[in-house]
Amino acid sequence: MEYICIVMAAFKVLIVEDELLIARDLSQTLKRQGFHVTKIVSSAQAALDAIEAEAPDIVLMDIVIKGEKDGIDAASIIYQRYHLPVLYLTAYADEETLNRVEQSQAYGYLLKPFKVKELSTTIRIAISKHQQVEQLEWQRCRDGLTGLFNRIYLEEAIVQHFQQAERYNWPVSLIFIDIDHFKRFNDTYGHDAGDYVIKSVGYLLQHSVRQVDLVVRYGGEEIIVLLPNCSVNKAAEIADNLRLKVSSLQLHFANQDLNSVTISLGVASFPLQASDSLNLIKAADEALYKAKQNGRNQVVVADSSSP
C-alpha cells in the first residue's frame, strides 16, 4: 500500500483544453491535489507532441478543442498509438457525443462544472484501471522466462508495422536468431543453465537495439528482432553487431564457466525480399538456416529473389 501511495503522488497529467483560463484553473486544482501537470495544450497535434515529449500518465481532454480533430478524435489516436488513458472533461452530454465517447475507449467522463474531489477520485480510478489493464496485457504479450515479447504479440504487431510501412513507403526488416548448439548447454549443465543462457542473450539483445524495435522470443532458443523503418543493409549491420556482442558474453552459472555462447542470424527486409509478413519471417528463417549450414556464428542476408 505504501508503494501505491508513492506512485500516485507522481501521477503526470496532460491537459488538453482550448480555454486558457479554465485550463490554468484546472492545472492549479490538480497541483493542489498532488498531481504533476506536464503541459497545457489546445489541439490534437499539440497533445500528440506533448505525449512524445512528456510521457504523461493520463490525458484530461476537452471535447471542443482547436484544429481539425476534436477531443474524441484525438483521444482515439492517443489510445491506439500510446495506450494512454483519456478522461473527458466537457459540458456536452447529448446522446451523439456520449455514443462517440463510448466508442473511443475513454476511461471516464466528467461534466463541467465538477467538484474537486470528484475530479481527483475519477483520475485516480482511471489510472488504476489502466494499470490493471496494462498488467494483464503485459502478461498476455510477454514470454514468462525472458520477459521478451512473445509470438502472440509479434503476430499482432507485425500487421500494424506492415500497415505503417505501406502507408509511409518505408522498409520493415527482420532478424531471425538462433543460439548455436543450444542443446549442449542443457545436456552439459542442465536445463536451468539453458534457461540462464536464453535469458542472458535475450536481455543483451533487448538492450542493444532501438526503442522502436521489437525483440521476441519466437520459440525455444529462437529470437526474432523486428525493425520498422530499417533497410536491409542497416539491419545486416545491426545483426552483426548483435552477433559480436553475444560472442563476447562471459556467462557463469552455478560456479561454472559456460562455454562461449554464439548466435546465427538470418536477415530479410520488406519489400526487397518479401511481399508480406509471413514471407518476411520465412525469408529470414531460410537465411538463418544457411548461416547454420555455413558454420554458425554468422549473419546471412536473404536472397533478393525470395518470395
Side-chain angles (χ1 to χ4, degrees), residues 152-164:
I152 293 175
Y153 184 80
L154 174 65
E155 291 172 353
E156 297 173 355
I158 199 168
V159 172
Q160 298 177 359
H161 283 295
F162 263 74
Q163 290 174 345
Q164 291 181 340

Side-chain angles (χ1 to χ4, degrees), residues 23 27 79 87 99 117 139 154 185 213 232 275 286 288 305:
S27 176
Y79 189 80
L87 179 64
N99 287 336
K117 184 63 177 177
Q139 293 173 352
L154 174 65
F185 294 104
D213 299 331
V232 67
S275 58
E286 291 175 350
L288 168 61
S305 62

